[in-house]
Amino acid sequence: MNRLVLVGNGFDLAHGMPTRYNDFLLGYLKRAFNSSGQGSLYQDRLMMVTSHDFQSQVSGLFEGLNTTDDLIEHCYKNGFLNALMNNKGIQIGSITIKPLIQVYIRSDFFRILLSKCNVNNWVEIENEYYLQLKRILKLGNKGNVPKELEELNTSMHGIIEALKVYLSELDCVGKNMDFTKIFEGDIVLDEMPLLKQEFSILPKETLILNFNYTSTVERYISDLKNVELVKVKINNIHGTLNDIGNPMIFGFGDEIDEDYQLLEKAKTKGFFKYIKSFWYFRTENYHNLIRFIESEEFQVVVLGHSCGLSDRTMLNLIFEHKNCKGIKIYYYANEQGDNFNELTEEISRHFSNKAALRAKVLPKPLCVPMPQINVKQLEGANIELEAADEIEPS
């Protein structure tokens, strides 16, 4: 029997990496505003920014608001479009500072993302893109479909390029060996009612299906004991950063959606530019996944993947496959609660056979909270080590 591990963004988050789309948008804005400098201009496909030495004008006036990064965080809490993007100045309390920063949003799609990016809401860029595709499709003769479609795809291209830059600058600072145990441990057969065996076995093969663009998971493979024995492989199904042979795949992947058939009937070119299925043809990764799930019975391990609709076609293929005998969830948990129920609800969207859903998804007592890395504690340990190195021997 084999094991298929679905590694998603939650895996990077567990390593203390700021890889949510909100984190990316904040990082992008900070880069843009800091790059604009004093009176100079920053511009790309998404926006133009002119900044006028923020620090010298507000330093000392507002507690905790002394840098451009502080300004972005302030607007994140108070709404970007209201606090920053109206070009009428920045409202901080009862004081308006202007013309401190002038911003021109060149992309309607980017404006939508900013309007939804705040502390109380997580932006899902791929889902928002698909919603805009469907909106444009429904325009019909009432709008300029080719022009709006071209503008949307141009915006998406700009976002992808900015995302590449952002992710390329992130570092993973530590590891948790509990993840190694997940990758190389036994499969407990009696946890799965579709199997009648009552013992545990070492997987014949383990395939880590990595949906992330980062290389965080690859750092664990070299640590595996008897790596040849456990036969662990990685399939970077969505590509990797700065790799021409395995380009980054970013877009939407729900061909089961009812509106998708309407997209197929549309005569205007461009509706499929960022539909994932057509990008999968550029490498052998998808075919290698099919070979794996066809080869043996397998257990699915969900490790940080949200199981959302942006990967629905692929997840439906995996979950409803006859060789899939069980789905074990590693869910996120903290003092306030956990997301186990949310994950099961998302997984259910990928099943047309609900009886199979209930038979395959392991109940919560058999699932486990996902390991986490305490980044602050790790950084504190590194500081102590550095301080120790600086102490001269007596």
Side-chain angles (χ1 to χ4, degrees), residues 191-194 319-320 325-327 344 347-348 351-364 366:
E191 290 181 342
M192 294 173 281
L194 295 179
F319 293 157
E320 290 206 316
K325 299 302 179 182
I327 301 172
T344 57
I347 290 172
S348 72
F351 277 89
S352 57
N353 184 340
K354 301 305 180 183
L357 162 71
R358 288 183 284 274
K360 291 183 178 183
V361 175
L362 272 60
K364 189 173 184 179
L366 299 179

mmCIF file with all atom_site columns, all heavy atoms in Angstrom, residues 191-194 319-320 325-327 344 347-348 351-364 366:
data_model
loop_
_atom_site.group_PDB
_atom_site.id
_atom_site.type_symbol
_atom_site.label_atom_id
_atom_site.label_alt_id
_atom_site.label_comp_id
_atom_site.label_asym_id
_atom_site.label_entity_id
_atom_site.label_seq_id
_atom_site.pdbx_PDB_ins_code
_atom_site.Cartn_x
_atom_site.Cartn_y
_atom_site.Cartn_z
_atom_site.occupancy
_atom_site.B_iso_or_equiv
_atom_site.pdbx_formal_charge
_atom_site.auth_seq_id
_atom_site.auth_comp_id
_atom_site.auth_asym_id
_atom_site.auth_atom_id
_atom_site.pdbx_PDB_model_num
ATOM 1   N N   . GLU A 1 191 ? -7.290  1.621  10.917 1.00 0.00 ? 191 GLU A N   1
ATOM 2   C CA  . GLU A 1 191 ? -7.985  2.901  11.033 1.00 0.00 ? 191 GLU A CA  1
ATOM 3   C C   . GLU A 1 191 ? -8.989  3.091  9.900  1.00 0.00 ? 191 GLU A C   1
ATOM 4   O O   . GLU A 1 191 ? -9.902  3.916  10.012 1.00 0.00 ? 191 GLU A O   1
ATOM 5   C CB  . GLU A 1 191 ? -6.971  4.061  11.003 1.00 0.00 ? 191 GLU A CB  1
ATOM 6   C CG  . GLU A 1 191 ? -6.100  4.167  12.232 1.00 0.00 ? 191 GLU A CG  1
ATOM 7   C CD  . GLU A 1 191 ? -5.135  5.343  12.160 1.00 0.00 ? 191 GLU A CD  1
ATOM 8   O OE1 . GLU A 1 191 ? -4.894  5.858  11.045 1.00 0.00 ? 191 GLU A OE1 1
ATOM 9   O OE2 . GLU A 1 191 ? -4.634  5.767  13.221 1.00 0.00 ? 191 GLU A OE2 1
ATOM 10  N N   . MET A 1 192 ? -8.815  2.329  8.814  1.00 0.00 ? 192 MET A N   1
ATOM 11  C CA  . MET A 1 192 ? -9.626  2.547  7.611  1.00 0.00 ? 192 MET A CA  1
ATOM 12  C C   . MET A 1 192 ? -10.630 1.420  7.439  1.00 0.00 ? 192 MET A C   1
ATOM 13  O O   . MET A 1 192 ? -10.251 0.260  7.207  1.00 0.00 ? 192 MET A O   1
ATOM 14  C CB  . MET A 1 192 ? -8.706  2.645  6.379  1.00 0.00 ? 192 MET A CB  1
ATOM 15  C CG  . MET A 1 192 ? -7.804  3.867  6.421  1.00 0.00 ? 192 MET A CG  1
ATOM 16  S SD  . MET A 1 192 ? -6.557  3.914  5.095  1.00 0.00 ? 192 MET A SD  1
ATOM 17  C CE  . MET A 1 192 ? -5.323  2.781  5.751  1.00 0.00 ? 192 MET A CE  1
ATOM 18  N N   . PRO A 1 193 ? -11.925 1.710  7.526  1.00 0.00 ? 193 PRO A N   1
ATOM 19  C CA  . PRO A 1 193 ? -12.951 0.658  7.456  1.00 0.00 ? 193 PRO A CA  1
ATOM 20  C C   . PRO A 1 193 ? -13.034 -0.028 6.097  1.00 0.00 ? 193 PRO A C   1
ATOM 21  O O   . PRO A 1 193 ? -13.590 -1.127 5.997  1.00 0.00 ? 193 PRO A O   1
ATOM 22  C CB  . PRO A 1 193 ? -14.248 1.416  7.778  1.00 0.00 ? 193 PRO A CB  1
ATOM 23  C CG  . PRO A 1 193 ? -13.963 2.840  7.462  1.00 0.00 ? 193 PRO A CG  1
ATOM 24  C CD  . PRO A 1 193 ? -12.506 3.044  7.767  1.00 0.00 ? 193 PRO A CD  1
ATOM 25  N N   . LEU A 1 194 ? -12.507 0.602  5.045  1.00 0.00 ? 194 LEU A N   1
ATOM 26  C CA  . LEU A 1 194 ? -12.523 -0.025 3.725  1.00 0.00 ? 194 LEU A CA  1
ATOM 27  C C   . LEU A 1 194 ? -11.481 -1.130 3.606  1.00 0.00 ? 194 LEU A C   1
ATOM 28  O O   . LEU A 1 194 ? -11.455 -1.867 2.616  1.00 0.00 ? 194 LEU A O   1
ATOM 29  C CB  . LEU A 1 194 ? -12.293 1.026  2.632  1.00 0.00 ? 194 LEU A CB  1
ATOM 30  C CG  . LEU A 1 194 ? -13.383 2.091  2.494  1.00 0.00 ? 194 LEU A CG  1
ATOM 31  C CD1 . LEU A 1 194 ? -13.034 3.075  1.397  1.00 0.00 ? 194 LEU A CD1 1
ATOM 32  C CD2 . LEU A 1 194 ? -14.746 1.458  2.221  1.00 0.00 ? 194 LEU A CD2 1
ATOM 33  N N   . PHE A 1 319 ? -9.541  11.756 -4.347 1.00 0.00 ? 319 PHE A N   1
ATOM 34  C CA  . PHE A 1 319 ? -10.398 11.295 -3.255 1.00 0.00 ? 319 PHE A CA  1
ATOM 35  C C   . PHE A 1 319 ? -11.386 10.216 -3.696 1.00 0.00 ? 319 PHE A C   1
ATOM 36  O O   . PHE A 1 319 ? -11.675 9.288  -2.938 1.00 0.00 ? 319 PHE A O   1
ATOM 37  C CB  . PHE A 1 319 ? -11.165 12.478 -2.652 1.00 0.00 ? 319 PHE A CB  1
ATOM 38  C CG  . PHE A 1 319 ? -10.305 13.478 -1.939 1.00 0.00 ? 319 PHE A CG  1
ATOM 39  C CD1 . PHE A 1 319 ? -10.737 14.789 -1.768 1.00 0.00 ? 319 PHE A CD1 1
ATOM 40  C CD2 . PHE A 1 319 ? -9.069  13.123 -1.420 1.00 0.00 ? 319 PHE A CD2 1
ATOM 41  C CE1 . PHE A 1 319 ? -9.945  15.721 -1.101 1.00 0.00 ? 319 PHE A CE1 1
ATOM 42  C CE2 . PHE A 1 319 ? -8.272  14.046 -0.754 1.00 0.00 ? 319 PHE A CE2 1
ATOM 43  C CZ  . PHE A 1 319 ? -8.718  15.346 -0.599 1.00 0.00 ? 319 PHE A CZ  1
ATOM 44  N N   . GLU A 1 320 ? -11.932 10.345 -4.894 1.00 0.00 ? 320 GLU A N   1
ATOM 45  C CA  . GLU A 1 320 ? -12.941 9.369  -5.338 1.00 0.00 ? 320 GLU A CA  1
ATOM 46  C C   . GLU A 1 320 ? -12.334 8.197  -6.105 1.00 0.00 ? 320 GLU A C   1
ATOM 47  O O   . GLU A 1 320 ? -13.068 7.318  -6.570 1.00 0.00 ? 320 GLU A O   1
ATOM 48  C CB  . GLU A 1 320 ? -14.004 10.066 -6.193 1.00 0.00 ? 320 GLU A CB  1
ATOM 49  C CG  . GLU A 1 320 ? -14.901 10.993 -5.393 1.00 0.00 ? 320 GLU A CG  1
ATOM 50  C CD  . GLU A 1 320 ? -16.262 11.180 -6.031 1.00 0.00 ? 320 GLU A CD  1
ATOM 51  O OE1 . GLU A 1 320 ? -16.330 11.361 -7.262 1.00 0.00 ? 320 GLU A OE1 1
ATOM 52  O OE2 . GLU A 1 320 ? -17.267 11.132 -5.292 1.00 0.00 ? 320 GLU A OE2 1
ATOM 53  N N   . LYS A 1 325 ? -8.201  4.551  -0.054 1.00 0.00 ? 325 LYS A N   1
ATOM 54  C CA  . LYS A 1 325 ? -8.881  3.781  0.981  1.00 0.00 ? 325 LYS A CA  1
ATOM 55  C C   . LYS A 1 325 ? -9.067  4.547  2.292  1.00 0.00 ? 325 LYS A C   1
ATOM 56  O O   . LYS A 1 325 ? -9.761  4.076  3.192  1.00 0.00 ? 325 LYS A O   1
ATOM 57  C CB  . LYS A 1 325 ? -8.092  2.495  1.267  1.00 0.00 ? 325 LYS A CB  1
ATOM 58  C CG  . LYS A 1 325 ? -7.964  1.582  0.054  1.00 0.00 ? 325 LYS A CG  1
ATOM 59  C CD  . LYS A 1 325 ? -9.335  1.191  -0.494 1.00 0.00 ? 325 LYS A CD  1
ATOM 60  C CE  . LYS A 1 325 ? -9.218  0.294  -1.717 1.00 0.00 ? 325 LYS A CE  1
ATOM 61  N NZ  . LYS A 1 325 ? -10.552 -0.046 -2.290 1.00 0.00 ? 325 LYS A NZ  1
ATOM 62  N N   . GLY A 1 326 ? -8.465  5.719  2.389  1.00 0.00 ? 326 GLY A N   1
ATOM 63  C CA  . GLY A 1 326 ? -8.624  6.490  3.617  1.00 0.00 ? 326 GLY A CA  1
ATOM 64  C C   . GLY A 1 326 ? -7.995  7.867  3.481  1.00 0.00 ? 326 GLY A C   1
ATOM 65  O O   . GLY A 1 326 ? -7.056  8.060  2.702  1.00 0.00 ? 326 GLY A O   1
ATOM 66  N N   . ILE A 1 327 ? -8.536  8.821  4.242  1.00 0.00 ? 327 ILE A N   1
ATOM 67  C CA  . ILE A 1 327 ? -8.023  10.196 4.234  1.00 0.00 ? 327 ILE A CA  1
ATOM 68  C C   . ILE A 1 327 ? -7.795  10.613 5.676  1.00 0.00 ? 327 ILE A C   1
ATOM 69  O O   . ILE A 1 327 ? -8.737  10.752 6.462  1.00 0.00 ? 327 ILE A O   1
ATOM 70  C CB  . ILE A 1 327 ? -9.026  11.165 3.556  1.00 0.00 ? 327 ILE A CB  1
ATOM 71  C CG1 . ILE A 1 327 ? -9.302  10.715 2.110  1.00 0.00 ? 327 ILE A CG1 1
ATOM 72  C CG2 . ILE A 1 327 ? -8.498  12.595 3.587  1.00 0.00 ? 327 ILE A CG2 1
ATOM 73  C CD1 . ILE A 1 327 ? -10.422 11.489 1.443  1.00 0.00 ? 327 ILE A CD1 1
ATOM 74  N N   . THR A 1 344 ? -13.121 19.113 6.837  1.00 0.00 ? 344 THR A N   1
ATOM 75  C CA  . THR A 1 344 ? -14.023 18.058 6.377  1.00 0.00 ? 344 THR A CA  1
ATOM 76  C C   . THR A 1 344 ? -15.114 18.620 5.460  1.00 0.00 ? 344 THR A C   1
ATOM 77  O O   . THR A 1 344 ? -15.522 17.974 4.492  1.00 0.00 ? 344 THR A O   1
ATOM 78  C CB  . THR A 1 344 ? -14.669 17.329 7.561  1.00 0.00 ? 344 THR A CB  1
ATOM 79  O OG1 . THR A 1 344 ? -15.364 18.276 8.390  1.00 0.00 ? 344 THR A OG1 1
ATOM 80  C CG2 . THR A 1 344 ? -13.621 16.606 8.387  1.00 0.00 ? 344 THR A CG2 1
ATOM 81  N N   . ILE A 1 347 ? -13.409 19.131 2.110  1.00 0.00 ? 347 ILE A N   1
ATOM 82  C CA  . ILE A 1 347 ? -13.171 17.840 1.465  1.00 0.00 ? 347 ILE A CA  1
ATOM 83  C C   . ILE A 1 347 ? -14.462 17.285 0.882  1.00 0.00 ? 347 ILE A C   1
ATOM 84  O O   . ILE A 1 347 ? -14.475 16.679 -0.200 1.00 0.00 ? 347 ILE A O   1
ATOM 85  C CB  . ILE A 1 347 ? -12.549 16.853 2.475  1.00 0.00 ? 347 ILE A CB  1
ATOM 86  C CG1 . ILE A 1 347 ? -11.111 17.283 2.801  1.00 0.00 ? 347 ILE A CG1 1
ATOM 87  C CG2 . ILE A 1 347 ? -12.564 15.423 1.933  1.00 0.00 ? 347 ILE A CG2 1
ATOM 88  C CD1 . ILE A 1 347 ? -10.468 16.489 3.924  1.00 0.00 ? 347 ILE A CD1 1
ATOM 89  N N   . SER A 1 348 ? -15.587 17.497 1.565  1.00 0.00 ? 348 SER A N   1
ATOM 90  C CA  . SER A 1 348 ? -16.868 16.962 1.092  1.00 0.00 ? 348 SER A CA  1
ATOM 91  C C   . SER A 1 348 ? -17.262 17.522 -0.271 1.00 0.00 ? 348 SER A C   1
ATOM 92  O O   . SER A 1 348 ? -17.976 16.867 -1.034 1.00 0.00 ? 348 SER A O   1
ATOM 93  C CB  . SER A 1 348 ? -17.969 17.269 2.112  1.00 0.00 ? 348 SER A CB  1
ATOM 94  O OG  . SER A 1 348 ? -18.318 18.648 2.106  1.00 0.00 ? 348 SER A OG  1
ATOM 95  N N   . PHE A 1 351 ? -16.457 15.281 -3.293 1.00 0.00 ? 351 PHE A N   1
ATOM 96  C CA  . PHE A 1 351 ? -17.093 13.957 -3.393 1.00 0.00 ? 351 PHE A CA  1
ATOM 97  C C   . PHE A 1 351 ? -18.492 14.088 -3.975 1.00 0.00 ? 351 PHE A C   1
ATOM 98  O O   . PHE A 1 351 ? -19.315 14.852 -3.463 1.00 0.00 ? 351 PHE A O   1
ATOM 99  C CB  . PHE A 1 351 ? -17.205 13.308 -2.005 1.00 0.00 ? 351 PHE A CB  1
ATOM 100 C CG  . PHE A 1 351 ? -15.962 12.613 -1.530 1.00 0.00 ? 351 PHE A CG  1
ATOM 101 C CD1 . PHE A 1 351 ? -14.995 13.312 -0.830 1.00 0.00 ? 351 PHE A CD1 1
ATOM 102 C CD2 . PHE A 1 351 ? -15.766 11.262 -1.777 1.00 0.00 ? 351 PHE A CD2 1
ATOM 103 C CE1 . PHE A 1 351 ? -13.859 12.687 -0.368 1.00 0.00 ? 351 PHE A CE1 1
ATOM 104 C CE2 . PHE A 1 351 ? -14.634 10.618 -1.321 1.00 0.00 ? 351 PHE A CE2 1
ATOM 105 C CZ  . PHE A 1 351 ? -13.667 11.332 -0.621 1.00 0.00 ? 351 PHE A CZ  1
ATOM 106 N N   . SER A 1 352 ? -18.762 13.348 -5.026 1.00 0.00 ? 352 SER A N   1
ATOM 107 C CA  . SER A 1 352 ? -20.134 13.203 -5.495 1.00 0.00 ? 352 SER A CA  1
ATOM 108 C C   . SER A 1 352 ? -20.806 12.045 -4.760 1.00 0.00 ? 352 SER A C   1
ATOM 109 O O   . SER A 1 352 ? -22.024 12.021 -4.585 1.00 0.00 ? 352 SER A O   1
ATOM 110 C CB  . SER A 1 352 ? -20.170 12.965 -7.010 1.00 0.00 ? 352 SER A CB  1
ATOM 111 O OG  . SER A 1 352 ? -19.407 11.825 -7.359 1.00 0.00 ? 352 SER A OG  1
ATOM 112 N N   . ASN A 1 353 ? -20.003 11.087 -4.312 1.00 0.00 ? 353 ASN A N   1
ATOM 113 C CA  . ASN A 1 353 ? -20.487 9.926  -3.552 1.00 0.00 ? 353 ASN A CA  1
ATOM 114 C C   . ASN A 1 353 ? -20.281 10.207 -2.066 1.00 0.00 ? 353 ASN A C   1
ATOM 115 O O   . ASN A 1 353 ? -19.179 10.038 -1.539 1.00 0.00 ? 353 ASN A O   1
ATOM 116 C CB  . ASN A 1 353 ? -19.720 8.672  -3.983 1.00 0.00 ? 353 ASN A CB  1
ATOM 117 C CG  . ASN A 1 353 ? -20.241 7.403  -3.312 1.00 0.00 ? 353 ASN A CG  1
ATOM 118 O OD1 . ASN A 1 353 ? -20.912 7.460  -2.276 1.00 0.00 ? 353 ASN A OD1 1
ATOM 119 N ND2 . ASN A 1 353 ? -19.935 6.259  -3.898 1.00 0.00 ? 353 ASN A ND2 1
ATOM 120 N N   . LYS A 1 354 ? -21.324 10.639 -1.387 1.00 0.00 ? 354 LYS A N   1
ATOM 121 C CA  . LYS A 1 354 ? -21.193 11.028 0.015  1.00 0.00 ? 354 LYS A CA  1
ATOM 122 C C   . LYS A 1 354 ? -20.990 9.827  0.933  1.00 0.00 ? 354 LYS A C   1
ATOM 123 O O   . LYS A 1 354 ? -20.414 9.954  2.018  1.00 0.00 ? 354 LYS A O   1
ATOM 124 C CB  . LYS A 1 354 ? -22.420 11.825 0.466  1.00 0.00 ? 354 LYS A CB  1
ATOM 125 C CG  . LYS A 1 354 ? -22.661 13.096 -0.342 1.00 0.00 ? 354 LYS A CG  1
ATOM 126 C CD  . LYS A 1 354 ? -21.442 14.010 -0.357 1.00 0.00 ? 354 LYS A CD  1
ATOM 127 C CE  . LYS A 1 354 ? -21.703 15.266 -1.171 1.00 0.00 ? 354 LYS A CE  1
ATOM 128 N NZ  . LYS A 1 354 ? -20.511 16.146 -1.268 1.00 0.00 ? 354 LYS A NZ  1
ATOM 129 N N   . ALA A 1 355 ? -21.441 8.652  0.523  1.00 0.00 ? 355 ALA A N   1
ATOM 130 C CA  . ALA A 1 355 ? -21.179 7.454  1.320  1.00 0.00 ? 355 ALA A CA  1
ATOM 131 C C   . ALA A 1 355 ? -19.685 7.149  1.329  1.00 0.00 ? 355 ALA A C   1
ATOM 132 O O   . ALA A 1 355 ? -19.116 6.776  2.366  1.00 0.00 ? 355 ALA A O   1
ATOM 133 C CB  . ALA A 1 355 ? -21.964 6.264  0.754  1.00 0.00 ? 355 ALA A CB  1
ATOM 134 N N   . ALA A 1 356 ? -19.042 7.333  0.177  1.00 0.00 ? 356 ALA A N   1
ATOM 135 C CA  . ALA A 1 356 ? -17.587 7.146  0.105  1.00 0.00 ? 356 ALA A CA  1
ATOM 136 C C   . ALA A 1 356 ? -16.868 8.181  0.961  1.00 0.00 ? 356 ALA A C   1
ATOM 137 O O   . ALA A 1 356 ? -15.858 7.868  1.599  1.00 0.00 ? 356 ALA A O   1
ATOM 138 C CB  . ALA A 1 356 ? -17.129 7.235  -1.350 1.00 0.00 ? 356 ALA A CB  1
ATOM 139 N N   . LEU A 1 357 ? -17.386 9.401  0.983  1.00 0.00 ? 357 LEU A N   1
ATOM 140 C CA  . LEU A 1 357 ? -16.811 10.447 1.828  1.00 0.00 ? 357 LEU A CA  1
ATOM 141 C C   . LEU A 1 357 ? -16.766 9.998  3.278  1.00 0.00 ? 357 LEU A C   1
ATOM 142 O O   . LEU A 1 357 ? -15.719 10.091 3.946  1.00 0.00 ? 357 LEU A O   1
ATOM 143 C CB  . LEU A 1 357 ? -17.644 11.731 1.692  1.00 0.00 ? 357 LEU A CB  1
ATOM 144 C CG  . LEU A 1 357 ? -17.476 12.796 2.774  1.00 0.00 ? 357 LEU A CG  1
ATOM 145 C CD1 . LEU A 1 357 ? -16.113 13.468 2.653  1.00 0.00 ? 357 LEU A CD1 1
ATOM 146 C CD2 . LEU A 1 357 ? -18.600 13.839 2.699  1.00 0.00 ? 357 LEU A CD2 1
ATOM 147 N N   . ARG A 1 358 ? -17.882 9.520  3.784  1.00 0.00 ? 358 ARG A N   1
ATOM 148 C CA  . ARG A 1 358 ? -17.964 9.137  5.188  1.00 0.00 ? 358 ARG A CA  1
ATOM 149 C C   . ARG A 1 358 ? -17.125 7.895  5.498  1.00 0.00 ? 358 ARG A C   1
ATOM 150 O O   . ARG A 1 358 ? -16.656 7.717  6.627  1.00 0.00 ? 358 ARG A O   1
ATOM 151 C CB  . ARG A 1 358 ? -19.427 8.926  5.576  1.00 0.00 ? 358 ARG A CB  1
ATOM 152 C CG  . ARG A 1 358 ? -20.205 10.238 5.676  1.00 0.00 ? 358 ARG A CG  1
ATOM 153 C CD  . ARG A 1 358 ? -21.626 10.024 6.117  1.00 0.00 ? 358 ARG A CD  1
ATOM 154 N NE  . ARG A 1 358 ? -22.467 9.499  5.040  1.00 0.00 ? 358 ARG A NE  1
ATOM 155 C CZ  . ARG A 1 358 ? -23.075 10.255 4.136  1.00 0.00 ? 358 ARG A CZ  1
ATOM 156 N NH1 . ARG A 1 358 ? -22.929 11.568 4.162  1.00 0.00 ? 358 ARG A NH1 1
ATOM 157 N NH2 . ARG A 1 358 ? -23.830 9.718  3.198  1.00 0.00 ? 358 ARG A NH2 1
ATOM 158 N N   . ALA A 1 359 ? -16.936 7.038  4.498  1.00 0.00 ? 359 ALA A N   1
ATOM 159 C CA  . ALA A 1 359 ? -16.134 5.834  4.716  1.00 0.00 ? 359 ALA A CA  1
ATOM 160 C C   . ALA A 1 359 ? -14.638 6.130  4.674  1.00 0.00 ? 359 ALA A C   1
ATOM 161 O O   . ALA A 1 359 ? -13.849 5.480  5.375  1.00 0.00 ? 359 ALA A O   1
ATOM 162 C CB  . ALA A 1 359 ? -16.486 4.781  3.659  1.00 0.00 ? 359 ALA A CB  1
ATOM 163 N N   . LYS A 1 360 ? -14.254 7.113  3.876  1.00 0.00 ? 360 LYS A N   1
ATOM 164 C CA  . LYS A 1 360 ? -12.824 7.351  3.655  1.00 0.00 ? 360 LYS A CA  1
ATOM 165 C C   . LYS A 1 360 ? -12.210 8.344  4.644  1.00 0.00 ? 360 LYS A C   1
ATOM 166 O O   . LYS A 1 360 ? -11.054 8.181  5.046  1.00 0.00 ? 360 LYS A O   1
ATOM 167 C CB  . LYS A 1 360 ? -12.593 7.850  2.220  1.00 0.00 ? 360 LYS A CB  1
ATOM 168 C CG  . LYS A 1 360 ? -12.856 6.798  1.150  1.00 0.00 ? 360 LYS A CG  1
ATOM 169 C CD  . LYS A 1 360 ? -12.548 7.320  -0.252 1.00 0.00 ? 360 LYS A CD  1
ATOM 170 C CE  . LYS A 1 360 ? -12.778 6.242  -1.300 1.00 0.00 ? 360 LYS A CE  1
ATOM 171 N NZ  . LYS A 1 360 ? -12.410 6.703  -2.661 1.00 0.00 ? 360 LYS A NZ  1
ATOM 172 N N   . VAL A 1 361 ? -12.941 9.394  5.029  1.00 0.00 ? 361 VAL A N   1
ATOM 173 C CA  . VAL A 1 361 ? -12.372 10.393 5.930  1.00 0.00 ? 361 VAL A CA  1
ATOM 174 C C   . VAL A 1 361 ? -12.322 9.825  7.347  1.00 0.00 ? 361 VAL A C   1
ATOM 175 O O   . VAL A 1 361 ? -13.345 9.427  7.902  1.00 0.00 ? 361 VAL A O   1
ATOM 176 C CB  . VAL A 1 361 ? -13.199 11.692 5.906  1.00 0.00 ? 361 VAL A CB  1
ATOM 177 C CG1 . VAL A 1 361 ? -12.660 12.684 6.945  1.00 0.00 ? 361 VAL A CG1 1
ATOM 178 C CG2 . VAL A 1 361 ? -13.161 12.324 4.524  1.00 0.00 ? 361 VAL A CG2 1
ATOM 179 N N   . LEU A 1 362 ? -11.126 9.799  7.928  1.00 0.00 ? 362 LEU A N   1
ATOM 180 C CA  . LEU A 1 362 ? -10.979 9.272  9.275  1.00 0.00 ? 362 LEU A CA  1
ATOM 181 C C   . LEU A 1 362 ? -11.620 10.219 10.286 1.00 0.00 ? 362 LEU A C   1
ATOM 182 O O   . LEU A 1 362 ? -11.520 11.445 10.146 1.00 0.00 ? 362 LEU A O   1
ATOM 183 C CB  . LEU A 1 362 ? -9.502  9.100  9.624  1.00 0.00 ? 362 LEU A CB  1
ATOM 184 C CG  . LEU A 1 362 ? -8.850  7.764  9.250  1.00 0.00 ? 362 LEU A CG  1
ATOM 185 C CD1 . LEU A 1 362 ? -8.914  7.523  7.743  1.00 0.00 ? 362 LEU A CD1 1
ATOM 186 C CD2 . LEU A 1 362 ? -7.408  7.697  9.737  1.00 0.00 ? 362 LEU A CD2 1
ATOM 187 N N   . PRO A 1 363 ? -12.295 9.685  11.309 1.00 0.00 ? 363 PRO A N   1
ATOM 188 C CA  . PRO A 1 363 ? -12.906 10.542 12.336 1.00 0.00 ? 363 PRO A CA  1
ATOM 189 C C   . PRO A 1 363 ? -11.833 11.283 13.130 1.00 0.00 ? 363 PRO A C   1
ATOM 190 O O   . PRO A 1 363 ? -10.666 10.874 13.175 1.00 0.00 ? 363 PRO A O   1
ATOM 191 C CB  . PRO A 1 363 ? -13.678 9.546  13.209 1.00 0.00 ? 363 PRO A CB  1
ATOM 192 C CG  . PRO A 1 363 ? -13.030 8.229  12.958 1.00 0.00 ? 363 PRO A CG  1
ATOM 193 C CD  . PRO A 1 363 ? -12.549 8.253  11.546 1.00 0.00 ? 363 PRO A CD  1
ATOM 194 N N   . LYS A 1 364 ? -12.244 12.345 13.769 1.00 0.00 ? 364 LYS A N   1
ATOM 195 C CA  . LYS A 1 364 ? -11.304 13.226 14.459 1.00 0.00 ? 364 LYS A CA  1
ATOM 196 C C   . LYS A 1 364 ? -10.418 12.507 15.484 1.00 0.00 ? 364 LYS A C   1
ATOM 197 O O   . LYS A 1 364 ? -9.220  12.824 15.585 1.00 0.00 ? 364 LYS A O   1
ATOM 198 C CB  . LYS A 1 364 ? -12.070 14.377 15.123 1.00 0.00 ? 364 LYS A CB  1
ATOM 199 C CG  . LYS A 1 364 ? -11.165 15.463 15.679 1.00 0.00 ? 364 LYS A CG  1
ATOM 200 C CD  . LYS A 1 364 ? -11.974 16.649 16.178 1.00 0.00 ? 364 LYS A CD  1
ATOM 201 C CE  . LYS A 1 364 ? -11.064 17.780 16.658 1.00 0.00 ? 364 LYS A CE  1
ATOM 202 N NZ  . LYS A 1 364 ? -11.827 18.952 17.127 1.00 0.00 ? 364 LYS A NZ  1
ATOM 203 N N   . LEU A 1 366 ? -8.966  9.842  15.315 1.00 0.00 ? 366 LEU A N   1
ATOM 204 C CA  . LEU A 1 366 ? -7.872  9.171  14.618 1.00 0.00 ? 366 LEU A CA  1
ATOM 205 C C   . LEU A 1 366 ? -6.991  10.145 13.843 1.00 0.00 ? 366 LEU A C   1
ATOM 206 O O   . LEU A 1 366 ? -5.992  9.734  13.244 1.00 0.00 ? 366 LEU A O   1
ATOM 207 C CB  . LEU A 1 366 ? -8.426  8.105  13.663 1.00 0.00 ? 366 LEU A CB  1
ATOM 208 C CG  . LEU A 1 366 ? -9.224  6.975  14.318 1.00 0.00 ? 366 LEU A CG  1
ATOM 209 C CD1 . LEU A 1 366 ? -9.730  5.997  13.265 1.00 0.00 ? 366 LEU A CD1 1
ATOM 210 C CD2 . LEU A 1 366 ? -8.383  6.249  15.362 1.00 0.00 ? 366 LEU A CD2 1
#
